[in-house]
Amino acid sequence: MKGERTVIRDSDSGGNSRPAVRSGEAQRLWSALDDLGRGRGRIIEVVGEPGMGKTHLLSCLADEAARRSFTVASSRCTEFERNLPCQVFVQLLGTIPGLRSVREESRREATRFRVYDAVRTMLRDRAEQGLVLILDDFHWADTTSQETVEYLLRIPVDAPLLLVVSQRTRQASTRLRSALAHAIDFGNAERIELAPLTVAQSADLLGQPVSSSTLRSLHAASGGNPSRLELAFADKWHESQRPPAVDQPLPERFAAVLAGEIDALAPHFLAVARAAAVIGSRFTLDAVAEVSGIRRDEVCPAVSELIRRDLLRPVSRTAAFTFRYPELRRQIHATFDPCSRASLHRRALAMLARQDAPATEQAVHIEQSLSELTEQDLRTLILAAREELQTSPHQAARWLRVALRVPVSQLRDENEQRDLLGLLTLVLGTGGRLGDKSDLVLGLRRLAPAEPGPARSRVIAFCSLLQGYLGHRAAAQALLNQELESFPGPDVPAAAVPLLVQREVTKIFNEQMPELEQVQLILRAARKHGDRINEAGALALRALTQALTSDPEDARISAEECASVVDSLTDEVLCDHPEFVAMLGWAEGFLGFRTEAAGHFKRGASLLPRCGRTFLRPIFLNGIAFCYVQSNRVSEARAMAAKAKQAALEEGGADLPILALALESWLLLLTEIRGERRALVTAEQAVNTVDASNRPLSVLTTISLAIAARVQGDHPRATALLLTVGGGPDLRDIPPVMRPALYEMLTATAADNSSPSPAEWAWLAASAAQDVTLPMPRAFALMARAHVLHESPAVAADLYQEASCLFSSIGANWAQAWAMTYAASCIAADGRTPEAITVLGYAEELALRAGASRLFENARQLRRELAAFNEEDEKEESEGVLSMLTVREREVAGIVGTGKKTREIAQELSVSPRTVDAHLTRIYRKLNISSRAALARLMAQAS
């Protein structure tokens, strides 16, 4: 039979051809196949909007029917065959003898019923073993074929025939749909209507998680239409979060589907459709007539024909019309010659200008015009950008891109040039991924005043800030150096000060540190010219540089001086350079002044929307999170770090998501009891992503990875990471204020036989903290010293408690709980178990208050173990050489005698390594020995 289908399957298909997305509808068709196998036929109508997946569903049906060994005949109707009577059935049954003559007779009305009955007879003969007849796009079928199906509805084929007809709802024959509805009511047929996909079905189609916000935006944009959904995904809506431009061609596989409908239009109808596509998403008959140049009385029937074809649809309760889908308008607009299209856009612009339409509506047509922009065009674009700035910054950027087509030499109106410059500055700093606006950065630089002076310097400094933010640090530095060549001579003019400040800012992120002498020179120049904002910038630079490279005490003095200036400036003044407030906040944060730092971060963040610098938001949010984690607000720090990460992804900064990842890793270790694996993966992601030339960020990410490795027990890796990033045992590449904390880690992770030894690392920690008056570094130095004094548990406990007090003095409750847990372990080793249990209870309370769940669990586990051992100590005593040991201590001593290490003993006894060390300390003291070897010999003698 013509149209018969043979299906060849891969061996791993398992014989399952059911579409995963339309599983419910497929099940109904599969049930019809089941009935067909039992000898019962059926007629099914499959209806739905264009793109709903009718053809795909029928293709799956054909595959499944062939798999079940049914004969399958399928045909897809086209508009070009509508004038050939009974063409659908001729295609399918044309090889049957006598059908040609029957077809010729079908042209005379007297023989119509003979044709219907002949087709019915032929289908019955062919359906003896089960026949699946699929008629796709039946809304294009010729009248005789439609009447034949109507006849089969009234007089069904008495054979196992499954007839499936698919058609579009709006274009289907009214008469046939009425006959189908009547047959459905009497149980002689059924209808499968393809509804829009649910969010869950859309997730299956695109392979996205149901909870994804990207998926939901794509689903809303497509209305749940599968084809439109796939097109939206192909257009990368999930990256831009906005629809593509109307002149952007559709991807080829989607364009090909629509091309058949468009190419079938007569020239007159196509001209009307093109004019409508140029006007916009909605249009009236009068507008189409004016733009197309076709008389209204000719436009009206053309629009009616386009509605009949379901290319256009009336807008309810208005005189306007719209395209069936936006993608259809886009395809029509993108596929006629650019010159004709631009001419129509000029006509549409003239019409809208005469109607005094909003500037945003006119700007669309200016954008699509190929002619040189007029002064009126430029004014319209500037007005449109201003109107869109607050609600839709990406649209404002779009209009400014068009405005930048005008050469600067032709901007005769200084006010227009100033307006354009100001709008560009705001658009670049407000909303959206900055990387998508790199062309606007060049435009901003082009619009800068030609003559050197304060106005030009402000623009160039801002361009350099943007370039650095995008990760183009070398370009940012080169831009400033080139501009500074305009100011030769030893004196520093006022216009050079902002450029010099920005050059030093750029150095921080370009594997260089500002020279303090140069910063001091800039500070003197700013004060000389009364430039308070750049004075604040120079002071912030000095404080941050000193915090990262030199004496923390000098950094403290500089930070306090900078804070005095910043706090005296109004928000309006600070709006020009909120990044200076961020630098001050980070300097204060590194120095441990968390309250002051958090205050400055919050003030700076509040300025960003007002001064058009929202792209800096991640810097401030990360800073706030950093301050929170130093205090007792760990849970809030984690939430703030998540906001910073999301903001960094939205704004498109080159490095900011990496800083957020480093913070996230650290916070996972504090807040999740079993978060060490996730923390390690997150820290590795940060380290693998960071640009090695960004020295400060490389240091922070590597330290976060070392902390995660330490917690997971990979001490050799933690040590290697710290020595590599620090430049050797002297940690010369680490800011002095941070060195004691890293030496504490090196002390804790060093092996007894390593070089340097733990004692040497502890000595280096003490040396690094010797001249530092800040509590945090001194506390870490005390922790390091205590780590090596386990043979003197009472002394170690005192040092841990002293460190705890220093942590408490700055409100770092999580660190206080951490130190007290160490102290409790030593107190217990000193034989004061009840006191240790009390200390651990307080540590639990502090960790809980800070939101540090992991530290809370560590303290609680140790407290429970000590409580249990305390009971054993009171009950269990023995005689002989080991009589002074408790049962648990004998158990530990016995395992030590087998040669196992501390971590292995802890795993066997289901306790922590620190608990094992505490037992060993008591065992050594009671038995008057000093090493594992001596204990092993003693256990061997006893046995």
Side-chain angles (χ1 to χ4, degrees), residues 687-815:
V687 169
N688 293 335
T689 308
V690 70
D691 184 348
S693 68
N694 190 334
R695 183 64 194 170
L697 205 52
S698 293
V699 169
L700 289 175
T701 54
T702 305
I703 291 173
S704 73
L705 181 56
I707 294 172
R710 171 189 180 178
V711 172
Q712 202 168 40
D714 192 349
H715 290 180
R717 185 184 187 192
T719 299
L721 286 166
L722 292 177
L723 293 178
T724 300
V725 77
D730 59 355
L731 301 184
R732 59 184 176 276
D733 293 337
I734 300 296
V737 73
M738 298 173 66
R739 288 173 191 165
L742 269 60
Y743 280 130
E744 182 277 327
M745 287 181 61
L746 288 166
T747 305
T749 57
D752 288 336
N753 59 352
S754 66
S755 179
S757 67
E760 290 172 314
W761 286 126
W763 181 85
L764 287 170
S767 299
Q770 187 173 6
D771 299 325
V772 179
T773 59
L774 301 173
M776 185 77 83
R778 289 167 49 214
F780 278 112
L782 289 171
M783 295 284 292
R785 184 180 168 198
H787 289 336
V788 298
L789 292 175
H790 282 293
E791 293 183 7
S792 304
V795 178
D798 289 343
L799 291 173
Y800 284 132
Q801 289 183 311
E802 187 179 348
S804 172
C805 291
L806 287 172
F807 287 133
S808 176
S809 69
I810 58 172
N813 286 4
W814 67 269

Side-chain angles (χ1 to χ4, degrees), residues 320-341:
F321 302 87
T322 188
F323 283 88
R324 178 179 74 217
Y325 298 141
E327 295 82 4
L328 180 59
R329 177 201 169 205
R330 179 177 153 198
Q331 178 66 10
I332 292 173
H333 185 277
T335 53
F336 71 109
D337 75 275
C339 292
S340 299
R341 185 172 62 218

Side-chain angles (χ1 to χ4, degrees), residues 51-127:
M52 282 295 182
K54 299 182 294 296
T55 298
H56 177 67
L57 183 63
L58 297 188
S59 176
C60 292
L61 170 64
D63 290 347
E64 178 64 15
R67 188 185 70 82
R68 298 190 188 191
S69 300
F70 291 120
T71 301
V72 180
S74 62
S75 179
R76 189 171 188 180
C77 306
T78 67
E79 180 182 5
F80 303 106
E81 298 172 336
R82 298 191 76 177
N83 295 324
L84 298 175
C86 218
Q87 178 64 15
V88 175
F89 294 99
V90 168
Q91 286 181 337
L92 295 173
L93 309 173
T95 58
I96 304 298
L99 185 59
R100 290 291 179 185
S101 61
V102 172
R103 180 184 176 190
E104 292 299 321
E105 291 178 358
S106 70
R107 296 179 182 176
R108 296 191 294 273
E109 190 165 340
T111 62
R112 280 169 38 203
F113 283 96
R114 211 179 334 153
V115 172
Y116 307 155
D117 195 60
V119 171
R120 179 176 175 276
T121 300
M122 294 170 196
L123 291 174
R124 182 190 61 202
D125 294 341
R126 291 292 174 176

Side-chain angles (χ1 to χ4, degrees), residues 424-438:
L424 266 176
T425 303
L426 289 172
V427 163
L428 281 165
T430 306
R433 294 179 62 84
L434 190 56
D436 297 338
K437 307 175 190 173
S438 55

Side-chain angles (χ1 to χ4, degrees), residues 199-200 203-204 208-213 215-216:
V199 173
D204 289 339
Q208 297 285 310
V210 177
S211 58
S212 166
S213 58
L215 172 73
R216 294 182 181 275

Side-chain angles (χ1 to χ4, degrees), residues 610-677:
R610 192 186 322 172
C611 54
R613 296 289 189 276
T614 56
F615 70 94
L616 295 172
R617 191 162 54 104
I619 296 177
F620 289 90
L621 296 178
N622 276 318
I624 295 170
F626 184 76
C627 294
Y628 283 172
V629 83
Q630 294 186 63
S631 64
N632 60 345
R633 305 169 69 177
V634 176
S635 298
E636 293 175 75
R638 187 172 179 184
M640 190 61 67
K643 287 177 65 176
K645 180 181 175 182
Q646 183 59 36
L649 294 172
E650 291 172 356
E651 299 293 346
D655 297 321
L656 296 175
I658 302 170
L659 178 57
L661 285 171
L663 279 172
E664 182 183 351
S665 171
W666 187 13
L667 290 165
L668 281 169
L669 293 172
L670 286 175
T671 59
E672 291 197 5
I673 296 173
R674 294 177 181 83
E676 58 266 29
R677 180 58 190 165

Side-chain angles (χ1 to χ4, degrees), residues 309-329:
R309 292 171 174 270
D310 198 28
L311 297 176
L312 301 183
R313 293 177 180 178
V315 179
S316 179
R317 294 191 295 275
T318 71
F321 302 87
T322 188
F323 283 88
R324 178 179 74 217
Y325 298 141
E327 295 82 4
L328 180 59
R329 177 201 169 205

